[in-house]
Amino acid sequence: MPAQAYTGKECVCQYKKGICDQSCVQDMLETPFYIACLKLKGRRALVVGGGEVGLEKVEGLLACDAGVTLVAPRAVPALEQLAAEGSITFHQREYEPADLDGHLIAIAATDDTDMNIRVFNDAEQRAMLVNVVDVPPLCNFILPAIVRTGPLAVAISTAGASPALAKRMKAEIAEAFGEPYADLAVLLNDARGWAKATLPTYQERKEFFEGIVNGDPDPIELLRAGNPEAVRDLIAGAQRSVAPA
């Protein structure tokens, strides 16, 4: 349920105003979010809700190697298939507070307002990360739009103000920062071990990599021209120039 559906009803967000006046939604635009990238491999995440939105959230968690538990009375065929192949754990029933046990993240993706509030309150009591889809006031973290290309990930957030704007920005960023940037990240990563072993200070390592990334010739232009070998030569030349005699 969108946040606007709570207008005039009992307030359920952290402000406890009695009757919802939507002021918490406006507050989201002024909230500075602490942007972090979570390492979910080996961690468990709970998704409550087996519809198309639940599927989207499950797929996003699986892409980050999370162990996913789905709780829902019913699930779309794609989720049933993921359960049948063992990719997720599926409890085909109503949500229970104990479902949160052992999980780092909870995402409520149902069309039942009362159920979403229960998940939020139960998770908050456990100091868990919790997100109620499309209801920013019932979230202690929000999910930005993500552009992924190889090892690169660019997050776009409008603080919940406009998913449509985030979608447009995602398309434009994907076009501007495509495969050449991902390829350069891989090539630079190959040199990280050498840099740590050879250059003793952070400042020296910083100057080494910035000299390559911002140097002449431009490594991005070389990769756009289909010439990764020239970039390898560029990195090798930079290594020779700073290596101890």
Side-chain angles (χ1 to χ4, degrees):
M1 298 288 288
Q4 289 74 13
Y6 292 80
T7 303
K9 298 180 181 179
E10 182 181 357
C11 177
V12 297
C13 75
Q14 65 268 35
Y15 297 110
K16 304 298 182 186
K17 290 193 170 183
I19 300 299
C20 176
D21 62 4
Q22 293 291 290
S23 59
C24 57
V25 178
Q26 292 302 315
D27 178 69
M28 293 291 291
L29 299 179
E30 302 172 1
T31 300
F33 285 94
Y34 184 76
I35 305 299
C37 296
L38 297 179
K39 183 179 179 181
L40 295 184
K41 188 172 185 177
R43 301 279 191 170
R44 297 205 59 80
L46 175 71
V47 176
V48 181
E52 293 294 338
V53 177
L55 173 62
E56 176 189 339
K57 303 310 175 187
V58 166
E59 289 178 335
L61 291 165
L62 289 176
C64 296
D65 295 327
V68 180
T69 301
L70 173 70
V71 175
R74 296 168 300 281
V76 295
L79 285 170
E80 291 181 339
Q81 178 59 37
L82 288 172
E85 68 190 29
S87 295
I88 64 173
T89 299
F90 179 24
H91 299 305
Q92 192 168 3
R93 54 168 171 75
E94 293 288 349
Y95 159 80
E96 300 171 0
D99 290 325
L100 296 168
D101 294 347
H103 293 79
L104 174 68
I105 289 177
I107 298 177
T110 83
D111 57 3
D112 183 332
T113 299
D114 292 336
M115 178 64 70
N116 290 339
I117 293 171
R118 284 179 57 201
V119 175
F120 174 76
N121 287 334
D122 292 343
E124 277 276 281
Q125 289 175 5
R126 290 166 168 79
M128 290 176 59
L129 293 171
V130 58
N131 177 286
V132 176
V133 176
D134 206 24
V135 189
L138 293 184
C139 301
N140 57 28
F141 78 99
I142 60 175
L143 294 167
I146 303 291
V147 178
R148 292 188 190 276
T149 309
L152 297 184
V154 181
I156 306 106
S157 171
T158 62
S162 177
L165 176 58
K167 184 176 181 180
R168 171 177 172 168
M169 293 174 66
K170 177 179 177 179
E172 292 179 1
I173 289 171
E175 183 176 354
F177 300 99
E179 288 187 12
Y181 286 85
D183 292 342
L184 181 57
V186 172
L187 292 170
L188 293 173
N189 185 66
D190 291 341
R192 282 175 60 84
W194 175 90
K196 287 185 176 181
T198 307
L199 305 175
T201 69
Y202 166 79
Q203 186 62 32
E204 286 176 301
R205 295 191 292 273
K206 176 174 178 284
E207 291 174 358
F208 169 73
F209 284 110
E210 288 186 350
I212 296 169
V213 170
N214 302 317
D216 185 21
D218 183 349
I220 291 296
E221 292 304 320
L222 292 173
L223 289 167
R224 283 176 175 157
N227 195 354
E229 199 56 45
V231 178
R232 293 189 183 92
D233 291 341
L234 194 66
I235 294 172
Q239 290 172 324
R240 288 192 297 272
S241 69
V242 298

